[in-house]
Amino acid sequence: MSKPKFQTVTGMHDILPQDQAYYEKIQEAAKKVFSFYDFEKIDTPILEDANLFIKSVGENTDIVEKEMFTLKTKGKDSLVLRPEGTASIMRAYLEHGFLSLPQPVRLWYYGPFFRYEKPQAGRYRQFNQFGVEIIGEADPIVDVQTILVMYSVLNDLGLKGLMVKVNSIGDDNCRPLYRKALVKYLREKKSGLCSDCQKRMKVNPLRVLDCKNEKCQEVLSSAPQSVDYLCEGCKKHLKDVLEYLDELKVPYCLDSRLVRGLDYYTRTVFEIESTKAGENTGGVLAGGGRYDNLSKMLGGGETPACGAAAGVERIIAEMKENKARVSFSSVPEIFFAQIGPLAKKKSLPILEDLRKAGIKVGEAFGKDALKAQLGKASRLGSKVVLILGQREALNNMILVRNMQTAKQVEVKQEDIIKEVKNILKEK
Ligand code: AMP
């Protein structure tokens, strides 16, 4: 068969009906946990000013250097399809004066994000994320609350083998010292690094730490670790985070290589991965951290904050791997069949009455023969079939056939709902 003329563009996918239940289940699970913890939902536009991400995520990051879908408007503005959520939400926080609200402000979001990446399993150019931001609080307990809410959603979805990796990358006081020590070490080992890392070493040396290249991994095995360079404030912050984590039943480990590539992160960074990851997921399901400098980077004041995001498509791949049960649309227990033009004409209002009464009804309006309609009813497994023939349509009556007992009664159309509800109750 030849390929159809038009197809989805590289890295972008249709979400087909058979997968919708996964998306719904994930949104419901997220909403349930986030509402309990008093997060309010926010939606920001898909297009944002390119500078928003250049200033916050950072010029020398993969996202800004290689992955932004940028477009120029007719008015010559440079806009991007948002690659992540945090910068937009901090923009909204500053734009709408959320600073005057009781702090911290807790927000959550769900929606599509775009990165011009090389498409592969678990890595798409359009993907969905849900996430949380807690803005206006410096206490390390909110770092752990951020971890906890993300972990809880994944756990409630039935994912197994979850592991939280935590690290601290310090702040403006101590990170320059660590950076210096790391660069010194990497310079000495330069020839052992991949060509990408030789470049990264100059512009964003911390990124070298999460290079997956085996050669680089070997060099990094004895590299200096950020936790050894933390100032007193950052050390205390990390200690508190770990103590709060100890009180929870959340499996975690300290991972000195975890840096996360974006410029706005300070102190705590974390990722949640599935240790039982299937081939399709790539392991990391969610990530986040503290970003105490982001507000200032965007022209606001000192506003400490913390947040995280999770990738919906990777979670779905994991759910499928874990054979998680999701319920697809419910089977209609009632089926409506019509015979003859008059009955067909009267059908739509009757179905509408049943819908308003909350009764799900199947139909096959495109088919006129009763046999074909009953065939569909039995394929659907409907328990009751309502039959409206020419005679019933004239007399305002309808036949109600109980498919289990094969009993059939004629009732007034005005009594259909009562009758159907009785039969459904009897089952
Ligand atoms: P990040 O904003 O990079 O920390 O991403 C947060 C989460 O979104 C990751 O842990 C992934 O689960 C997911 N994610 C990030 N990039 C992609 C992508 N290109 N395709 C699919 N999921 C992604």
Side-chain angles (χ1 to χ4, degrees), residues 11 63 67 83-86 109 113-130 150 260-262 264-265 270-272 281 283-288 308-315:
I63 287 190
E67 296 172 2
E84 59 104 55
T86 303
Y109 61 91
F113 292 85
F114 305 83
R115 293 184 194 168
Y116 193 83
E117 303 204 68
K118 193 166 156 232
Q120 50 193 291
R123 202 165 281 284
Y124 309 120
R125 290 187 176 172
Q126 178 174 344
F127 55 98
N128 289 279
Q129 284 187 340
F130 62 83
M150 298 306 276
R260 299 191 48 76
L262 319 188
Y264 58 59
Y265 283 119
F270 74 90
E271 281 181 353
I272 306 179
T281 63
V284 181
L285 301 173
V312 173
E313 284 71 16
R314 290 204 198 162
I315 295 173

